[in-house]
Amino acid sequence: MSLTIIKAGILDSIQDEGRFGFQASGINPGGAMDVFSARLANCLLGKPMNAAVIEIHFAAPVVSFNEVAIICITGANFTPEIGDREIQINQPVIVNKNAVLQFKKVKQGARCYLAVLNNFTLAPWLNSYSTNLKAAAGGLHGGQLESGDIIPFEKIDALNNYLKEETSIVLPWKAYPEDLTVPNKLEVIKGSEWDWLDENSQQTFLNTPFKITKVADRMGYRLSGKGLHLKEQKQLVSSAVSFGTLQLLPSGQLILLMADHQTTGGYPRVANVISAHLPLLAQSRTNDAISFAITDIQTAEQKLLQQFNYLQQVQYAAGFKIEKILQ
Amino acid sequence: MSYSISALGDSALTVDFGNIISLEINTKVLLLVKAIERAGLIAIKDIVPAYSSVTIHYDVIMLLRQHKNKSAFTLMSEQMEALLSQPVKAVAVTGRRVQVPVCYSLRYGWDLPDISAQTRLSVEEIIHLHTEKKYKVYMIGFLPGFAYMGNVDERIAVPRKLEPRLKIEAGCVGIAGKQTGIYPLASPGGWQIIGRTPVKLFDKEKEDTVFFKAGDEVAFYSITEDEFDNY
């Protein structure tokens, strides 16, 4: 009733939608970088969206299942294989006891999510399973997954008779979320300090591409592009920031805050990437070029709602199918 | 009361009272936080007080489903405006009074010699000036439980170090301009380190994981290396 990390990847951790309610204490929400994909992995199994999943980077781990389980992988495509057979992302698979999951190469994206129908039996920290690496809390043991780690999950008796000799069975439903998650341009809402930028810089921000530098991790991405300038040198007293906030550093370059951002910051907040477009950013990598376009809050809200409605439909449909399998 | 409301992306908004560090403005911040808590609004995920602003993070989906014809941002803005237009109730916003022991010996006060040279004050005078005042916790941020406190006596309000240290230990007490604060976790940082407290400011096992809260009134007192070791 568990899975074993036979060989750890470069950065694997337990995440969920994040830990909210403690930012006033300086404890950041964290959570999955690509929240949409983390939710989709759960929804394809008919599970609650906020269930804990494993976030995987490349080089990815080798995982063995110590009990029959139904799994689903979403987000990046790292060419997952079970027993030498490639499996598709966004499609659930029943895996047999002792099946081994590994990832061969990066086809697309930066991080994938592994959801297991059998709930992980972990202790939440401050109402969330997300791993807070800085506070060394949450997740399995407060840290990234290591070789030999065993993640316990619930046993589902009904699955025992499902597989005979097979290592795995691919289940016949699949999601195609690309239309909802891959926009042409990243849309942003003007930030509180947008007006601090001089007019040239506002134009530069909207009309020139920026590149993701190699300083890019769960905390944030440093971007490189044409320098941006303030109308006048002003200091901002520290104030809250969020996932997707674009801050202007004194060097004139931007930093884009991601899931493990600090709760507050003192750099001007030029703009914020809309929530619906954060998944694409989470799947972007060093040297990728990105461009920004301004949108309004109402449009941003509707796009987020659209994604959420889609996820609920997937969850509802998959829930029925899973129930049939377990009957 | 003058304030502005701006969007922090599509899932949060900030009520700003004026981009300054002042006790009076910070009191408005804490009053608004209390009012939001009391109002028991739905869909609020986080309330983040800062020096001169309050940010609320909210659940857009929940709000859109309850009010089909209004944007979540408009709804939350209206709620904030309603709270801000109410007469201010005479609630106490004075926080707890806490005494924090600090060992200012040179073993822990790494930057005391530098500050002494910069300010032409003796180390004893610097310690005296730091322990003499009461400080207010304006806000928590940066790290779990990192309290931004002020205001430091002008004579020892030295700026951040030009080159941040790669590692500052948990408990290190620092000065950055008029602010003073304590690192709750080991972290890189640029504050001038003047001592260390044996008090654990972040403990993930405790129900109250962090020691300080915005609004607390803090006084430091000096302890010896022995007292530090036996704390």
Side-chain angles (χ1 to χ4, degrees):
Chain A
M1 291 170 294
S2 62
L3 61 81
T4 302
I5 306 293
I6 297 179
K7 185 167 170 268
I10 191 163
L11 177 56
D12 321 315
S13 64
I14 307 269
Q15 300 293 343
D16 57 19
E17 290 176 354
R19 178 175 290 108
F20 287 91
F22 301 93
Q23 290 197 71
S25 298
I27 296 169
N28 67 340
M33 286 278 276
D34 178 350
V35 177
F36 179 87
S37 295
R39 285 171 164 173
L40 182 62
N42 285 321
C43 288
L44 278 161
L45 299 173
K47 292 185 71 173
M49 291 189 202
N50 194 27
V53 296
I54 304 178
E55 182 177 88
I56 290 169
H57 293 76
F58 202 86
V62 179
V63 178
S64 98
F65 294 87
N66 306 320
E67 195 68 42
V68 185
I70 304 185
I71 67 166
C72 188
I73 297 165
T74 59
N77 190 341
F78 294 159
T79 331
E81 280 186 1
I82 289 170
D84 296 333
R85 175 176 167 211
E86 185 174 343
I87 59 165
Q88 301 296 305
I89 63 166
N90 302 329
Q91 184 163 11
V93 181
I94 310 183
V95 295
N96 211 338
K97 191 172 172 163
N98 298 325
V100 173
L101 167 68
Q102 46 195 328
F103 299 84
K104 287 294 171 183
K105 62 172 202 284
V106 179
K107 277 190 183 158
Q108 152 268 312
R111 34 192 67 89
C112 72
Y113 295 87
L114 169 62
V116 182
L117 177 65
N118 324 45
N119 292 315
F120 296 132
T121 46
L122 300 168
W125 178 61
L126 303 181
N127 312 330
S128 165
Y129 294 101
S130 288
T131 309
N132 186 320
L133 295 169
K134 192 164 256 174
L140 183 65
H141 40 50
Q144 68 179 89
L145 300 179
E146 292 159 13
S147 300
D149 276 348
I150 293 170
I151 305 174
F153 56 66
E154 289 168 358
K155 188 170 184 169
I156 301 180
D157 288 328
L159 284 177
N160 277 350
N161 307 321
Y162 216 85
L163 295 181
K164 301 283 182 287
E165 299 299 307
E166 310 93 324
T167 312
S168 64
I169 295 180
V170 176
L171 291 172
W173 63 92
K174 189 170 188 222
Y176 299 90
E178 294 76 14
D179 290 353
L180 279 170
T181 54
V182 186
N184 295 324
K185 272 196 167 186
L186 285 168
E187 289 173 9
V188 301
I189 293 167
K190 287 179 187 174
S192 310
E193 286 76 52
W194 168 259
D195 291 332
W196 290 22
L197 286 178
D198 65 29
E199 209 164 297
N200 271 338
S201 296
Q202 291 181 349
Q203 291 308 316
T204 303
F205 176 80
L206 294 173
N207 299 319
T208 65
F210 294 84
K211 212 169 81 176
I212 299 174
T213 67
K214 62 180 196 300
V215 187
D217 56 22
R218 279 187 48 91
M219 288 180 68
Y221 299 170
R222 293 241 186 169
L223 306 182
S224 76
K226 278 193 189 162
L228 306 178
H229 308 280
L230 300 179
K231 281 180 201 156
E232 50 179 312
Q233 281 313 310
K234 274 205 275 189
Q235 294 289 320
L236 182 70
V237 305
S238 283
S239 180
V241 293
S242 192
F243 192 171
T245 300
L246 281 151
Q247 290 179 310
L248 182 64
L249 300 174
S251 64
Q253 297 294 324
L254 294 166
I255 184 165
L256 173 57
L257 302 183
M258 299 299 285
D260 279 347
H261 64 85
Q262 295 174 187
T263 53
T264 58
Y267 297 123
R269 296 155 294 187
V270 170
N272 293 276
V273 176
I274 68 172
S275 302
H277 290 177
L278 291 175
L280 176 67
L281 270 177
Q283 296 301 347
S284 300
R285 296 163 7 157
T286 296
N287 289 330
D288 284 354
I290 52 180
S291 319
F292 301 110
I294 285 179
T295 190
D296 57 272
I297 296 174
Q298 210 140 359
T299 308
E301 289 179 356
Q302 288 305 318
K303 287 187 175 175
L304 189 60
L305 183 62
Q306 240 184 334
Q307 288 185 348
F308 193 85
N309 288 340
Y310 170 81
L311 287 168
Q312 269 197 330
Q313 285 164 16
V314 171
Q315 182 187 40
Y316 187 72
F320 264 111
K321 291 169 183 158
I322 289 282
E323 218 169 277
K324 271 193 181 159
I325 289 175
L326 298 184
Q327 264 168 10
Chain B
M1 200 190 304
S2 87
Y3 62 85
S4 66
I5 294 180
S6 59
L8 178 65
D10 53 34
S11 304
L13 66 77
T14 298
V15 180
D16 194 335
F17 295 101
N19 194 35
I20 48 167
I21 299 179
S22 99
L23 284 172
E24 193 199 338
I25 297 282
N26 191 249
T27 300
K28 291 183 182 176
V29 166
L30 297 180
L31 279 168
L32 177 59
V33 169
K34 287 227 158 149
I36 297 170
E37 287 170 351
R38 262 202 321 269
L41 305 176
I42 60 146
I44 290 194
K45 296 165 80 177
D46 258 308
I47 307 169
V48 192
Y51 279 113
S52 55
S53 66
V54 179
T55 297
I56 53 169
H57 297 261
Y58 51 84
D59 186 333
V60 174
I61 306 296
M62 190 188 282
L63 290 168
L64 289 179
R65 292 211 162 160
Q66 293 212 340
H67 305 267
K68 293 239 162 18
N69 301 316
K70 239 182 201 175
S71 94
F73 174 73
T74 308
L75 266 166
M76 289 319 291
S77 301
E78 285 171 1
Q79 309 248 38
M80 291 304 114
E81 280 161 9
L83 289 175
L84 285 159
S85 67
Q86 284 169 6
V88 179
K89 291 209 183 91
V91 289
V93 285
T94 41
R96 304 167 305 163
R97 299 210 165 127
V98 283
Q99 304 266 334
V100 178
V102 177
C103 178
Y104 293 93
S105 83
L106 293 182
R107 195 207 295 180
Y108 300 121
W110 300 331
D111 295 317
L112 282 172
D114 260 12
I115 299 172
S116 177
Q118 264 187 67
T119 60
R120 299 196 183 152
L121 295 166
S122 70
V123 167
E124 289 67 35
E125 285 169 306
I126 295 167
I127 297 168
H128 173 71
L129 289 173
H130 192 252
T131 49
E132 184 192 49
K133 281 196 87 170
K134 288 193 173 67
Y135 303 97
K136 183 178 181 194
V137 175
Y138 284 109
M139 60 180 280
I140 310 283
F142 171 45
L143 289 171
F146 187 98
Y148 288 84
M149 297 176 252
N151 294 349
V152 167
D153 189 289
E154 301 252 354
R155 286 168 283 177
I156 55 168
V158 287
R160 285 180 173 79
K161 297 183 77 68
L162 289 175
E163 279 291 316
R165 286 190 172 92
L166 292 176
K167 192 179 179 194
I168 290 181
E169 307 293 334
C172 283
V173 178
I175 290 178
K178 287 184 187 172
Q179 310 167 103
T180 185
I182 311 174
Y183 287 83
L185 303 171
S187 157
W191 290 36
Q192 306 270 2
I193 302 304
I194 58 169
R196 198 178 297 184
T197 180
V199 177
K200 212 171 178 186
L201 300 179
F202 171 77
D203 186 346
K204 66 178 178 185
E205 308 296 340
K206 278 196 179 159
E207 197 182 322
D208 282 327
T209 47
V210 306
F211 184 81
F212 290 116
K213 283 191 174 63
D216 285 352
E217 194 183 279
V218 181
F220 298 107
Y221 64 95
S222 176
I223 59 171
T224 64
E225 287 183 5
D226 262 4
E227 287 168 318
F228 182 96
D229 292 338
N230 296 314
Y231 186 81

